[in-house]
Amino acid sequence: METFTLQTPTQEAGLATAMEVVYQWNYDPEVDELRSLYVKAAEAQWIGARDIDWERPIDLARFATTPLGAGIPIEKTSYWRSLPGETLVELTRRTAAFRLSQFLHGEQGALMVAAQLVNAVPHTDAKFYAATQTMDEARHVEVFARYIEKLDEIRPIAPSLKGILDQTLTTGDWMKKLVGMQIVVEGLALYAFREMRNLTQEPLLRDLLTYVARDESRHHAYGVQYIERCVPCLDAAARAELEDFAVECARSLIDRNAQGFFTTLLGIWQEVGVDPVAMLSSLHDEREEITRELPPGRRLGPVQGFVIPTLRRCGLLSERVAARFHEFLRENFGSRVAGVNVEEFLANLPDLPADTARWVVGELQ
Ligand SMILES: [Fe+2]
Ligand SMILES: [Fe+2]
């Protein structure tokens, strides 16, 4: 039997946070849509060990269909297509393990932020809902860890993701916690889970992501429904501060120059014998061609396709921050994705799906 200790070698030093705990003496339903979301969440609980069949081995050939989620699909480059089958299988397995590890660590962050929200949000319905989300996130941590260990190995958190989680956990402002977690991190996750779920032909991963993505669509709904009520109550300065927080979170998650993600991916390519220079120059040369087919008004990645539309819906996309979003999207993905100017960027911004729960399982575009 393993020895139980208070300190384990895998735990980090404690992070001091500035959160205020808020009692609320009104227990009557007050925000109806949050109360019904809470009931829906309670009804939709599932159990990782019981409801998913873990006995199935992972079929690596089928696993190779799993998308890698780069901003521009590197799977479409000529260099990628020239690689031998075994290299592609290995590359997909390791890259996916890295990506799934980021999901896993993000889920741990979500677990802790959701638990903080129980304490910090001032409305009873919002506390109730955050309690159900806390349970959901615990389950997500459990199932992702189990899957990655079956697939490969858990890789460390990318510093840029850790930075956002730290910022969201340490801020004393509960609305920033909502924006950082429920809009930016959850928005990116939901988009990525959807894409992975709908394209992978690996049945166990697909099952797991179906359960997780359904929960995440409620988490996103919580953010939207709560924040869109809160934003009109803010003065201009507070609203601008919240907008800036959202931009910084989104930027550090997708910026290619941000510490971590990209360097690790290059490392993985080298591990399996892929030449990063050849891969990148193929991507660079073919970027316009690969993105040319994409019609305007479509979702072209998590930030343009989901996070920014969510911010717009919540009243957090002023012209000022739209210009900043446009600028960093264009730097990272080029004008075909971002639009040549802010006007085009805003005109091509898709609306949020009419029904996120159906969108996430591929029933809506
Ligand atoms: Fe989650
Ligand atoms: Fe979540």
Side-chain angles (χ1 to χ4, degrees):
M1 198 179 117
E2 276 177 45
T3 341
F4 173 83
T5 55
L6 292 183
Q7 296 267 326
T8 76
T10 44
Q11 85 190 49
E12 274 207 13
L15 186 67
T17 67
M19 191 184 70
E20 282 183 4
V21 169
V22 177
Y23 283 100
Q24 169 58 262
W25 307 123
N26 170 40
Y27 299 104
D28 294 336
E30 184 180 13
V31 190
D32 291 338
E33 61 271 29
L34 296 186
R35 185 62 70 117
S36 46
L37 206 55
Y38 156 72
V39 173
K40 232 191 223 175
E43 285 167 352
Q45 296 292 307
W46 49 280
I47 297 174
R50 182 196 66 191
D51 297 329
I52 293 174
D53 173 9
W54 292 96
E55 294 309 308
R56 290 169 287 180
I58 296 175
D59 177 341
L60 283 178
R62 291 174 86 178
F63 189 84
T65 54
T66 308
L68 300 177
I72 295 161
I74 49 175
E75 303 94 313
K76 294 201 172 141
T77 58
S78 54
Y79 182 76
W80 179 280
R81 283 184 275 114
S82 74
L83 293 169
E86 320 81 79
T87 310
L88 286 182
V89 165
E90 203 45 36
L91 189 55
T92 315
R93 183 167 78 99
R94 293 186 195 201
T95 313
F98 166 67
R99 194 165 178 230
L100 288 164
S101 298
Q102 305 314 308
F103 292 171
L104 166 68
H105 304 311
E107 295 289 358
Q108 181 185 174
L111 169 68
M112 296 199 286
V113 174
Q116 285 189 331
L117 288 174
V118 175
N119 292 269
V121 295
H123 303 92
T124 296
D125 301 306
K127 287 179 184 294
F128 283 4
Y129 182 78
T132 67
Q133 184 174 331
T134 307
M135 181 60 206
D136 293 347
E137 306 296 11
R139 215 167 31 224
H140 300 174
V141 175
E142 175 205 348
V143 296
F144 275 120
R146 189 160 176 180
Y147 188 83
I148 301 165
E149 276 160 356
K150 213 171 152 83
L151 174 70
D152 189 38
E153 57 176 5
I154 295 174
R155 292 188 180 244
I157 188 166
S160 50
L161 174 59
K162 176 70 165 44
I164 292 178
L165 297 181
D166 282 359
Q167 272 192 40
T168 308
L169 283 161
T170 52
T171 176
D173 182 339
W174 58 268
M175 257 189 257
K176 283 188 185 160
K177 291 184 193 295
L178 280 170
V179 167
M181 181 50 65
Q182 308 296 132
I183 297 189
V184 181
V185 179
E186 298 268 3
L188 281 159
L190 192 57
Y191 193 96
F193 293 167
R194 174 188 196 267
E195 180 196 47
M196 204 182 245
R197 180 207 171 270
N198 293 337
L199 294 176
T200 188
Q201 288 169 26
E202 204 291 287
L204 177 54
L205 180 61
R206 197 177 154 89
D207 263 16
L208 175 163
L209 287 169
T210 304
Y211 278 107
V212 172
R214 278 194 205 122
D215 292 349
E216 299 299 354
S217 72
R218 285 193 309 274
H219 304 171
H220 176 259
Y222 170 61
V224 169
Q225 291 170 2
Y226 197 23
I227 296 167
E228 75 181 349
R229 285 229 183 193
C230 297
V231 167
C233 306
L234 298 175
D235 63 26
R239 186 188 294 211
E241 200 180 314
L242 210 50
E243 287 180 344
D244 290 339
F245 187 76
V247 176
E248 285 321 308
C249 290
R251 188 210 295 276
S252 49
L253 271 185
I254 65 154
D255 195 342
R256 253 193 256 147
N257 305 317
Q259 211 191 353
F261 280 104
F262 203 56
T263 336
T264 310
L265 280 179
L266 293 182
I268 293 173
W269 294 354
Q270 278 169 321
E271 280 173 25
V272 296
V274 168
D275 176 7
V277 178
M279 178 87 101
L280 288 176
S281 66
S282 167
L283 184 61
H284 183 264
D285 296 345
E286 295 161 33
R287 181 167 84 173
E288 286 296 312
E289 195 184 324
I290 292 170
T291 53
R292 186 174 305 146
E293 313 294 292
L294 305 170
R298 252 196 51 173
R299 296 179 206 286
L300 304 172
V303 174
Q304 180 269 2
F306 204 73
V307 173
I308 302 176
T310 306
L311 290 168
R312 179 168 64 179
R313 163 82 182 268
C314 294
L316 290 173
L317 187 68
S318 61
E319 278 178 37
R320 185 182 61 90
V321 289
R324 291 176 61 197
F325 274 121
H326 172 252
E327 188 189 305
F328 83 76
L329 283 174
R330 205 184 47 186
E331 275 165 21
N332 278 273
F333 304 116
S335 310
R336 287 217 71 89
V337 170
V340 288
N341 52 34
V342 190
E343 290 70 36
E344 192 179 293
F345 160 67
L346 286 172
N348 289 340
L349 211 54
D351 285 325
L352 278 181
D355 180 337
T356 313
R358 291 185 54 213
W359 173 78
V360 81
V361 290
E363 291 172 17
L364 297 177
Q365 278 310 301

